[in-house]
Amino acid sequence: MSIQNNLLNIKSQLPNHVTLVAVSKTKPVADLMEAYNAGQRVFGENYVQELVEKHEALPNDIQWHFIGHLQSRKVKLIAPFVNLIHGVDSLKLLHEINKEAQKNNRVIDCLLQIFIAEEESKFGLDEEELNGILRFITQNSEIYKNIRVIGLMGMATFTENQDQIKKEFQNLKTIFDKVSKQKTENCQLNTISMGMSGDYQLAIEYGSTMVRIGSSIFGNRNYNN
Ligand SMILES: *Cc1c(COP(=O)(O)O)cnc(C)c1O
Protein backbone atom coordinates (compact mmCIF):
# COMPACT_ATOMS: atom_id res chain seq x y z
CA MET A 1 0.00 0.00 0.00
CA SER A 2 1.23 3.49 -0.82
CA ILE A 3 1.10 6.44 1.54
CA GLN A 4 -1.56 7.96 -0.66
CA ASN A 5 -3.72 4.83 -0.52
CA ASN A 6 -3.29 4.48 3.23
CA LEU A 7 -4.26 8.09 3.72
CA LEU A 8 -7.33 8.00 1.52
CA ASN A 9 -8.41 4.74 3.12
CA ILE A 10 -8.21 6.18 6.63
CA LYS A 11 -9.84 9.45 5.61
CA SER A 12 -12.78 7.59 4.12
CA GLN A 13 -13.44 6.09 7.57
CA LEU A 14 -13.33 9.34 9.51
CA PRO A 15 -16.50 11.27 10.30
CA ASN A 16 -16.46 14.89 9.14
CA HIS A 17 -15.99 16.34 12.61
CA VAL A 18 -12.75 14.39 13.17
CA THR A 19 -9.44 15.99 12.19
CA LEU A 20 -6.67 13.73 10.97
CA VAL A 21 -3.18 14.58 12.15
CA ALA A 22 -0.66 12.70 10.02
CA VAL A 23 2.12 11.78 12.43
CA SER A 24 5.31 11.95 10.41
CA LYS A 25 8.08 11.72 13.01
CA THR A 26 11.26 10.02 11.71
CA LYS A 27 9.84 9.99 8.16
CA PRO A 28 11.66 11.72 5.29
CA VAL A 29 10.36 14.87 3.66
CA ALA A 30 9.53 12.89 0.51
CA ASP A 31 7.01 10.82 2.48
CA LEU A 32 5.33 13.92 3.86
CA MET A 33 5.23 15.36 0.35
CA GLU A 34 3.44 12.26 -0.86
CA ALA A 35 0.80 12.75 1.81
CA TYR A 36 0.65 16.46 1.00
CA ASN A 37 0.04 15.69 -2.67
CA ALA A 38 -2.79 13.41 -1.62
CA GLY A 39 -4.40 16.39 0.11
CA GLN A 40 -3.12 16.11 3.68
CA ARG A 41 -2.38 19.47 5.32
CA VAL A 42 -2.11 18.69 9.04
CA PHE A 43 1.09 17.02 10.21
CA GLY A 44 2.24 16.08 13.69
CA GLU A 45 5.86 15.88 14.83
CA ASN A 46 7.43 14.85 18.14
CA TYR A 47 10.89 16.38 18.00
CA VAL A 48 11.55 20.10 17.87
CA GLN A 49 14.57 20.04 15.59
CA GLU A 50 12.88 17.72 13.14
CA LEU A 51 9.76 19.85 13.12
CA VAL A 52 11.78 23.01 12.43
CA GLU A 53 13.63 21.38 9.55
CA LYS A 54 10.50 19.95 7.96
CA HIS A 55 8.67 23.24 8.34
CA GLU A 56 11.46 24.92 6.39
CA ALA A 57 11.56 22.26 3.70
CA LEU A 58 7.85 21.84 3.02
CA PRO A 59 5.02 24.01 1.61
CA ASN A 60 3.85 26.78 3.90
CA ASP A 61 0.16 25.95 3.85
CA ILE A 62 0.85 22.96 6.10
CA GLN A 63 -0.49 23.15 9.64
CA TRP A 64 2.15 21.86 12.02
CA HIS A 65 1.18 20.22 15.29
CA PHE A 66 3.71 19.46 17.98
CA ILE A 67 2.64 16.22 19.65
CA GLY A 68 5.72 15.28 21.68
CA HIS A 69 6.87 16.23 25.13
CA LEU A 70 7.91 19.86 24.79
CA GLN A 71 10.71 21.30 26.90
CA SER A 72 10.23 24.92 27.94
CA ARG A 73 13.59 26.01 26.59
CA LYS A 74 12.66 24.78 23.09
CA VAL A 75 9.33 26.58 22.80
CA LYS A 76 10.97 29.58 21.12
CA LEU A 77 12.09 27.44 18.18
CA ILE A 78 8.56 26.50 17.14
CA ALA A 79 6.61 29.51 18.42
CA PRO A 80 6.86 31.44 15.11
CA PHE A 81 4.87 28.87 13.16
CA VAL A 82 3.38 26.00 15.18
CA ASN A 83 -0.40 25.70 14.87
CA LEU A 84 -1.24 23.46 17.80
CA ILE A 85 0.75 22.07 20.72
CA HIS A 86 -0.85 18.85 21.95
CA GLY A 87 1.02 17.73 25.03
CA VAL A 88 1.02 20.67 27.42
CA ASP A 89 1.25 19.31 30.93
CA SER A 90 2.27 22.17 33.18
CA LEU A 91 1.54 25.79 33.91
CA LYS A 92 5.24 26.48 33.51
CA LEU A 93 5.13 25.28 29.91
CA LEU A 94 1.94 27.20 29.20
CA HIS A 95 3.58 30.31 30.62
CA GLU A 96 6.56 29.86 28.31
CA ILE A 97 4.33 29.28 25.27
CA ASN A 98 2.39 32.43 26.10
CA LYS A 99 5.62 34.41 26.40
CA GLU A 100 7.05 33.20 23.10
CA ALA A 101 3.72 33.59 21.31
CA GLN A 102 3.63 37.19 22.48
CA LYS A 103 7.11 37.83 21.06
CA ASN A 104 5.84 36.53 17.74
CA ASN A 105 2.61 38.46 17.92
CA ARG A 106 0.61 35.27 17.79
CA VAL A 107 -1.96 33.33 19.72
CA ILE A 108 -0.91 29.69 19.99
CA ASP A 109 -3.54 27.01 20.45
CA CYS A 110 -2.77 24.33 23.02
CA LEU A 111 -4.20 21.06 24.27
CA LEU A 112 -3.66 20.04 27.86
CA GLN A 113 -2.47 16.47 28.21
CA ILE A 114 -4.39 14.35 30.68
CA PHE A 115 -2.88 11.26 32.21
CA ILE A 116 -5.34 8.44 31.48
CA ALA A 117 -3.06 5.42 31.07
CA GLU A 118 -1.76 2.99 33.62
CA GLU A 119 1.81 3.34 32.43
CA GLU A 120 4.10 5.44 34.58
CA SER A 121 6.02 6.44 31.48
CA LYS A 122 3.24 8.57 30.04
CA PHE A 123 2.91 12.24 30.83
CA GLY A 124 -0.09 14.27 31.81
CA LEU A 125 -2.20 16.08 34.33
CA ASP A 126 -4.80 14.69 36.68
CA GLU A 127 -8.22 16.30 36.90
CA GLU A 128 -7.35 18.45 39.87
CA GLU A 129 -4.23 19.84 38.20
CA LEU A 130 -6.25 20.48 35.04
CA ASN A 131 -8.85 22.45 36.95
CA GLY A 132 -6.13 24.41 38.71
CA ILE A 133 -4.49 25.42 35.44
CA LEU A 134 -7.77 26.36 33.77
CA ARG A 135 -8.77 28.45 36.76
CA PHE A 136 -5.43 30.22 36.81
CA ILE A 137 -5.32 31.15 33.14
CA THR A 138 -8.94 32.28 33.01
CA GLN A 139 -8.51 34.39 36.13
CA ASN A 140 -5.33 35.89 34.70
CA SER A 141 -6.59 36.28 31.16
CA GLU A 142 -4.95 39.68 30.68
CA ILE A 143 -1.59 37.93 31.10
CA TYR A 144 -2.43 34.71 29.27
CA LYS A 145 -3.80 36.29 26.14
CA ASN A 146 -1.37 34.73 23.67
CA ILE A 147 -2.45 31.18 24.33
CA ARG A 148 -5.77 29.52 23.83
CA VAL A 149 -6.54 26.17 25.40
CA ILE A 150 -8.79 24.52 22.85
CA GLY A 151 -9.03 21.04 24.28
CA LEU A 152 -7.53 17.97 25.88
CA MET A 153 -5.16 15.27 24.69
CA GLY A 154 -4.64 11.78 26.03
CA MET A 155 -2.85 8.55 25.28
CA ALA A 156 -4.31 5.21 26.27
CA THR A 157 -2.24 2.40 27.72
CA PHE A 158 -0.41 0.35 25.11
CA THR A 159 -2.36 -2.88 25.54
CA GLU A 160 -4.46 -5.42 23.68
CA ASN A 161 -7.14 -5.10 26.35
CA GLN A 162 -9.96 -3.22 24.62
CA ASP A 163 -11.94 -2.75 27.82
CA GLN A 164 -8.98 -1.05 29.40
CA ILE A 165 -8.60 1.31 26.44
CA LYS A 166 -12.34 2.05 26.39
CA LYS A 167 -12.25 2.88 30.08
CA GLU A 168 -9.39 5.31 29.55
CA PHE A 169 -11.02 7.03 26.57
CA GLN A 170 -14.28 7.27 28.48
CA ASN A 171 -12.40 8.84 31.35
CA LEU A 172 -10.93 11.55 29.12
CA LYS A 173 -14.34 12.24 27.58
CA THR A 174 -15.92 12.58 31.01
CA ILE A 175 -13.26 15.04 32.13
CA PHE A 176 -13.66 16.96 28.87
CA ASP A 177 -17.44 17.20 29.28
CA LYS A 178 -16.98 18.77 32.69
CA VAL A 179 -14.54 21.47 31.63
CA SER A 180 -15.76 22.26 28.12
CA LYS A 181 -18.74 24.26 29.32
CA GLN A 182 -16.70 27.25 30.36
CA LYS A 183 -15.89 29.59 27.50
CA THR A 184 -13.51 32.47 27.96
CA GLU A 185 -11.13 34.22 25.60
CA ASN A 186 -8.19 31.92 26.33
CA CYS A 187 -10.10 28.82 27.23
CA GLN A 188 -12.50 27.31 24.71
CA LEU A 189 -12.37 23.58 24.86
CA ASN A 190 -13.80 21.99 21.74
CA THR A 191 -11.17 19.38 20.84
CA ILE A 192 -10.38 15.92 22.16
CA SER A 193 -7.15 14.58 20.72
CA MET A 194 -7.16 10.85 21.30
CA GLY A 195 -6.60 7.80 19.14
CA MET A 196 -3.59 6.52 17.21
CA SER A 197 -3.11 3.85 14.52
CA GLY A 198 -4.11 1.00 16.80
CA ASP A 199 -7.08 2.55 18.54
CA TYR A 200 -8.47 5.49 16.59
CA GLN A 201 -11.76 3.86 15.69
CA LEU A 202 -12.44 3.18 19.33
CA ALA A 203 -11.34 6.70 20.23
CA ILE A 204 -13.85 8.18 17.80
CA GLU A 205 -16.63 6.08 19.34
CA TYR A 206 -15.69 7.62 22.65
CA GLY A 207 -15.80 11.19 21.44
CA SER A 208 -12.43 11.93 19.87
CA THR A 209 -12.42 14.89 17.48
CA MET A 210 -8.76 14.63 16.48
CA VAL A 211 -6.82 11.45 15.75
CA ARG A 212 -3.03 11.24 15.53
CA ILE A 213 -2.10 8.53 13.06
CA GLY A 214 1.43 7.63 12.04
CA SER A 215 2.31 4.07 11.15
CA SER A 216 -1.01 3.28 9.44
CA ILE A 217 -0.22 6.07 6.98
CA PHE A 218 3.55 6.04 6.64
CA GLY A 219 4.40 2.47 7.65
CA ASN A 220 6.41 1.37 10.65
CA ARG A 221 9.04 3.72 11.97
CA ASN A 222 12.69 2.84 11.89
CA TYR A 223 14.54 4.69 14.62
CA ASN A 224 17.96 3.52 13.47
CA ASN A 225 18.26 5.64 10.37
C1 LIG B 1 4.01 8.52 17.47
C2 LIG B 1 2.77 9.10 18.05
C3 LIG B 1 1.51 8.88 17.46
C4 LIG B 1 1.30 7.99 16.24
O1 LIG B 1 1.44 6.67 16.58
P1 LIG B 1 1.05 5.50 15.54
O2 LIG B 1 0.80 4.33 16.42
O3 LIG B 1 2.21 5.33 14.63
O4 LIG B 1 -0.16 5.93 14.82
C5 LIG B 1 0.42 9.52 18.02
N1 LIG B 1 0.53 10.31 19.09
C6 LIG B 1 1.71 10.52 19.70
C7 LIG B 1 1.76 11.41 20.89
C8 LIG B 1 2.85 9.92 19.20
O5 LIG B 1 4.02 10.14 19.83
Side-chain angles (χ1 to χ4, degrees), residues 58-115:
L58 285 153
N60 56 23
D61 62 341
I62 289 178
Q63 294 172 38
W64 293 103
H65 290 194
F66 188 82
I67 64 168
H69 193 243
L70 184 56
Q71 292 168 282
S72 292
R73 64 189 171 86
K74 293 193 173 170
V75 171
K76 60 176 177 292
L77 301 172
I78 61 172
F81 66 89
V82 71
N83 289 96
L84 180 61
I85 301 175
H86 284 236
V88 180
D89 64 351
S90 71
L91 187 56
K92 175 173 177 258
L93 182 56
L94 214 44
H95 189 86
E96 189 68 20
I97 296 167
N98 185 61
K99 192 179 89 187
E100 295 299 329
Q102 202 161 3
K103 284 188 196 163
N104 286 281
N105 241 317
R106 304 185 64 215
V107 174
I108 297 181
D109 287 343
C110 299
L111 302 177
L112 295 177
Q113 183 165 359
I114 307 301
F115 182 84

Side-chain angles (χ1 to χ4, degrees), residues 23 25 46 67 153 155 196-198 212-215 221:
V23 175
K25 62 183 173 221
N46 291 58
I67 64 168
M153 180 259 205
M155 283 173 91
M196 316 189 351
S197 290
R212 309 176 309 267
I213 300 181
S215 42
R221 286 177 291 276

Side-chain angles (χ1 to χ4, degrees), residues 17-18 154 156 162 165-166 169-170 172-173 192-196 198-212:
H17 69 277
V18 175
Q162 298 291 298
I165 299 172
K166 284 180 191 171
F169 285 157
Q170 180 63 62
L172 185 57
K173 174 72 163 89
I192 306 179
S193 167
M194 64 181 185
M196 316 189 351
D199 56 20
Y200 71 90
Q201 278 129 336
L202 205 55
I204 292 168
E205 269 178 54
Y206 282 81
S208 171
T209 68
M210 189 173 272
V211 291
R212 309 176 309 267

Side-chain angles (χ1 to χ4, degrees), residues 32-217:
L32 281 76
M33 215 41 222
E34 195 176 333
Y36 179 89
N37 287 331
Q40 184 63 22
R41 291 294 180 272
V42 183
F43 290 86
E45 288 283 339
N46 291 58
Y47 308 103
V48 167
Q49 198 52 44
E50 191 177 343
L51 172 54
V52 169
E53 283 166 18
K54 286 175 174 171
H55 167 254
E56 280 167 14
L58 285 153
N60 56 23
D61 62 341
I62 289 178
Q63 294 172 38
W64 293 103
H65 290 194
F66 188 82
I67 64 168
H69 193 243
L70 184 56
Q71 292 168 282
S72 292
R73 64 189 171 86
K74 293 193 173 170
V75 171
K76 60 176 177 292
L77 301 172
I78 61 172
F81 66 89
V82 71
N83 289 96
L84 180 61
I85 301 175
H86 284 236
V88 180
D89 64 351
S90 71
L91 187 56
K92 175 173 177 258
L93 182 56
L94 214 44
H95 189 86
E96 189 68 20
I97 296 167
N98 185 61
K99 192 179 89 187
E100 295 299 329
Q102 202 161 3
K103 284 188 196 163
N104 286 281
N105 241 317
R106 304 185 64 215
V107 174
I108 297 181
D109 287 343
C110 299
L111 302 177
L112 295 177
Q113 183 165 359
I114 307 301
F115 182 84
I116 54 171
E118 293 206 321
E119 293 151 303
E120 296 272 340
S121 60
K122 300 229 161 98
F123 296 98
L125 305 161
D126 64 27
E127 204 174 342
E128 199 179 319
E129 292 166 324
L130 168 69
N131 288 326
I133 289 178
L134 293 179
R135 205 177 311 121
F136 191 80
I137 63 163
T138 51
Q139 286 173 357
N140 295 281
S141 56
E142 64 301 335
I143 299 169
Y144 293 98
K145 59 185 187 325
N146 292 82
I147 47 156
R148 191 166 50 201
V149 174
I150 64 158
L152 304 180
M153 180 259 205
M155 283 173 91
T157 304
F158 188 72
T159 172
E160 294 290 314
N161 183 344
Q162 298 291 298
D163 288 337
Q164 173 79 26
I165 299 172
K166 284 180 191 171
K167 202 178 76 190
E168 294 173 2
F169 285 157
Q170 180 63 62
N171 183 20
L172 185 57
K173 174 72 163 89
T174 303
I175 295 172
F176 175 83
D177 286 341
K178 284 190 230 169
V179 294
S180 61
K181 289 180 188 75
Q182 53 177 314
K183 300 263 181 250
T184 65
E185 201 59 38
N186 63 9
C187 183
Q188 307 179 23
L189 287 81
N190 53 35
T191 301
I192 306 179
S193 167
M194 64 181 185
M196 316 189 351
S197 290
D199 56 20
Y200 71 90
Q201 278 129 336
L202 205 55
I204 292 168
E205 269 178 54
Y206 282 81
S208 171
T209 68
M210 189 173 272
V211 291
R212 309 176 309 267
I213 300 181
S215 42
S216 291
I217 299 173

